[in-house]
Amino acid sequence: MVSISCLKKNFKIGLVLGITSIVVSLLYFRKVYVSPVMNRRIWRKNDLEIDKDPTSSNSYQIDSDLVSRPVVFRGTMPNELQNRTRLLHRTYLNSTTSQEHCPERIEMDDIVRDNIPEELYRVASEVFDHMPTKFLDGFRSPCWKVKSKLTCLPSFMLTGVGKCGTTDVWDKIVAHPDIVVTGKEPRWWSRFRVGRDRGLYNPFPLSWYANQYNKLGKAISEARDSNKAKKLIAGDGSPSNYWDNVVWKTTLTAACQNLTTPRYVVADVIRTVLPKIKILAVFRNPTSRLYSDYNFDNRSCTPEFFHDSVTESTRTFDSCLATSTRKECVFKFFSEIYEADMARKPRPKGKLGMNPIMRLFKGSYSVFVTDWLRAFPRDQVFFIKMEDWHSECKTMLPNIYQFLDLEPIPKQKTDEICNKKQKNKTPGTKAKGSMLPETKQLLDKFYEPIRKDLAQILNDDRFLWNN
């Protein structure tokens, strides 16, 4: 006679197998049937109107040799966009770029948005063509109507570099009752917009980015108090918006003119279409930031291993600085990283992770700050020193809310927010121990010119990190 315990055991096993079978079937159904439909929805004509007339002044002229070269596309994309994307990327990769591969001048009279330099337009034509030139009056958030739906975008951005505490700052800022909490890092402006991170050659349109803020539009639409609705805002907490310009040279103008640094970066695009957006930038001592970055992605390595990586990486970067400016070197390595991606080659591996040089030059704060302050007025950018944030949150948070034009909150609420546990803290650092004194000395010397430049640009000696 079969015991009750045996029956229960067999029932549990059967239940687990049944659930597993259902999950596998659903995943297969999603891959085969749902994903292609969703991809087609992403690229539907209403989202991204592709000019099908090859003779149009706004169309790229497609070279048959470039188009015939094998390129792998992910998902379902319009043929016209595939051809444009092939030309865009392959023109850059072709080291012998000739004028016949370069586009004719754009008739700027045909562009909807006024007063945009042609080179800037080429950096993000899809943004300038589809972003509204005017937003609805009376709202703190930049909103417009798509048919009957209220569509809104963020009114502030939290930028910086990985391991500078952006996650913790974000977690505490969005506790304000007038901020609608959305996903922290859409990473659209610097990555998804140009087809990075989710498969090369698969850029996501403006409609995808706007959909990340559906919660904001819904909250405004459904607010019973009209005054409350007008105050609601949301943010974009993608640190990569600040520093990531890896694809800068893929604009046809940059490729054809053999520029060594870009004339326009992500900051210029954002400022042009969202002129009132507020920028928060978080920085940390670049030496300690690099060690934290190393510990985050290399949790089994040692301080000695880190020292070898720093020695190798600084030597490589210094060799570039011998013949080029720091900005030229930063964007030179951006280009090399992109070439490795495009050629489907592994990025150069080093002891600091997939790309040790990139981790090193992320600390070139002054290079990136210069571009942002060229694009934005100084009073639209609020700089946060991470070390001060951790010790003075209760003082700084009200200042940040004031900068964002948010109503002050009670001191008790501020204390409660700042007493929350720190978010995204790198684990295991204490177990490994501090970086070696000789490593710290090497990095402090490497970053010294950058710290001095940053303190001078911001007119704030706190960013020297002397203490």
Side-chain angles (χ1 to χ4, degrees):
M1 184 176 179
V2 180
S3 65
I4 295 177
S5 60
C6 185
L7 286 174
K8 288 183 178 179
K9 182 177 180 181
N10 290 337
F11 174 78
K12 290 180 180 178
I13 293 174
L15 182 62
V16 171
L17 291 175
I19 293 174
T20 303
S21 177
I22 292 172
V23 171
V24 171
S25 299
L26 289 174
L27 291 174
Y28 178 80
F29 178 84
R30 181 181 183 276
K31 178 179 180 181
V32 175
Y33 298 104
V34 178
S35 293
V37 174
M38 294 304 294
N39 282 329
R40 281 194 292 272
R41 286 184 63 189
I42 287 175
W43 295 111
R44 67 182 186 269
K45 186 174 183 295
N46 289 338
D47 287 341
L48 189 60
E49 296 178 2
I50 302 299
D51 186 356
K52 295 184 178 182
D53 180 6
T55 64
S56 169
S57 60
N58 286 340
S59 296
Y60 294 130
Q61 303 300 312
I62 307 303
D63 182 87
S64 59
D65 176 63
L66 292 176
V67 173
S68 65
R69 296 172 67 175
V71 180
V72 178
F73 285 84
R74 178 183 176 188
T76 304
M77 298 173 61
N79 291 333
E80 297 88 348
L81 187 57
Q82 290 185 17
N83 289 339
R84 291 186 181 191
T85 309
R86 284 191 179 100
L87 178 61
L88 182 98
H89 296 281
R90 292 302 182 188
T91 299
Y92 167 60
L93 287 179
N94 186 348
S95 59
T96 59
T97 299
S98 61
Q99 291 302 314
E100 65 185 71
H101 290 156
C102 297
E104 297 179 359
R105 287 189 60 82
I106 295 174
E107 294 297 332
M108 300 303 287
D109 291 340
D110 296 334
I111 297 176
V112 175
R113 196 175 294 270
D114 295 332
N115 301 320
I116 298 181
E118 180 181 344
E119 288 187 43
L120 175 57
Y121 177 78
R122 290 194 186 281
V123 171
S125 59
E126 73 289 347
V127 177
F128 300 131
D129 286 346
H130 298 90
M131 182 77 76
T133 57
K134 186 178 180 181
F135 299 109
L136 295 175
D137 293 330
F139 294 101
R140 285 285 320 283
S141 298
C143 299
W144 70 99
K145 285 286 186 71
V146 178
K147 296 182 179 179
S148 60
K149 177 186 175 183
L150 185 67
T151 301
C152 300
L153 293 179
S155 59
F156 75 91
M157 286 189 176
L158 176 65
T159 64
V161 180
K163 311 318 297 175
C164 280
T166 57
T167 301
D168 187 62
V169 175
W170 171 270
D171 182 63
K172 292 176 170 60
I173 287 177
V174 299
H176 193 285
D178 289 341
I179 296 181
V180 177
V181 182
T182 58
K184 176 178 179 279
E185 299 183 25
R187 294 183 290 180
W188 183 75
W189 293 95
S190 61
R191 297 186 179 180
F192 290 176
R193 178 181 65 83
V194 292
R196 294 186 61 232
D197 266 18
R198 289 192 177 179
L200 292 170
Y201 306 105
N202 192 8
F204 283 25
L206 173 63
S207 59
W208 180 90
Y209 183 60
N211 285 342
Q212 309 310 301
Y213 297 93
N214 282 342
K215 190 175 178 181
L216 173 61
K218 184 178 180 181
I220 293 175
S221 300
E222 296 179 354
R224 295 182 179 180
D225 184 347
S226 60
N227 291 327
K228 174 71 173 179
K230 294 176 181 178
K231 297 176 183 178
L232 295 178
I233 64 172
D236 181 333
S238 309
S240 57
N241 290 338
Y242 158 75
W243 64 269
D244 193 347
N245 290 282
V246 167
V247 298
W248 75 274
K249 213 169 185 180
T250 60
T251 59
L252 291 169
T253 301
C256 294
Q257 294 183 5
N258 294 319
L259 301 179
T260 57
T261 60
R263 292 194 178 99
Y264 300 101
V265 294
V266 171
D268 297 287
V269 178
I270 296 172
R271 165 68 173 166
T272 303
V273 295
L274 297 174
K276 295 182 180 180
I277 196 167
K278 298 289 186 76
I279 308 297
L280 299 164
V282 189
F283 297 134
R284 175 185 186 177
N285 185 319
T287 297
S288 59
R289 189 216 70 82
L290 185 62
Y291 191 52
S292 178
D293 197 6
Y294 151 84
N295 281 316
F296 188 77
D297 283 340
N298 300 271
R299 299 182 183 183
S300 62
C301 297
T302 64
E304 291 76 16
F305 199 76
F306 176 70
H307 179 78
D308 292 341
S309 295
V310 168
T311 302
E312 177 184 342
S313 299
T314 52
R315 185 184 299 120
T316 302
F317 204 93
D318 285 340
S319 66
C320 177
L321 291 174
T323 56
S324 306
T325 66
R326 186 174 296 276
K327 184 172 183 178
E328 287 174 338
C329 290
V330 166
F331 284 96
K332 172 181 180 291
F333 289 116
F334 270 143
S335 302
E336 291 182 359
I337 293 166
Y338 186 74
E339 287 175 357
D341 281 345
M342 294 298 302
R344 298 297 193 277
K345 295 178 180 178
R347 291 182 182 177
K349 290 186 178 181
K351 294 169 184 175
L352 278 177
M354 284 302 289
N355 197 295
I357 298 296
M358 183 172 71
R359 296 185 184 279
L360 186 74
F361 73 60
K362 278 185 185 179
S364 299
Y365 302 148
S366 57
V367 171
F368 307 117
V369 165
T370 300
D371 283 331
W372 278 86
L373 291 183
R374 174 181 49 75
F376 283 88
R378 180 65 179 84
D379 60 2
Q380 274 184 242
V381 187
F382 189 102
F383 293 97
I384 301 170
K385 183 183 173 187
M386 190 201 78
E387 293 85 354
D388 291 347
W389 168 258
H390 289 322
S391 61
E392 303 172 19
C393 172
K394 295 176 184 180
T395 301
M396 296 179 66
L397 188 60
N399 294 336
I400 292 173
Y401 287 154
Q402 183 179 12
F403 170 75
L404 296 177
D405 297 322
L406 294 168
E407 293 184 356
I409 61 176
K411 184 180 183 303
Q412 181 180 355
K413 180 64 175 177
T414 300
D415 294 346
E416 178 184 327
I417 294 172
C418 289
N419 288 335
K420 291 167 61 177
K421 184 178 180 181
Q422 182 180 333
K423 288 282 186 177
N424 202 29
K425 187 175 182 179
T426 302
T429 304
K430 290 184 178 180
K432 293 179 185 178
S434 303
M435 75 173 79
L436 300 176
E438 54 266 37
T439 314
K440 184 178 183 305
Q441 183 178 6
L442 179 61
L443 284 173
D444 284 346
K445 181 180 179 181
F446 176 82
Y447 284 125
E448 183 179 8
I450 296 169
R451 291 186 281 112
K452 288 182 176 179
D453 286 347
L454 182 64
Q456 183 176 3
I457 292 169
L458 302 183
N459 193 26
D460 191 340
D461 287 344
R462 293 180 305 133
F463 292 94
L464 288 170
W465 283 282
N466 282 333
N467 297 324

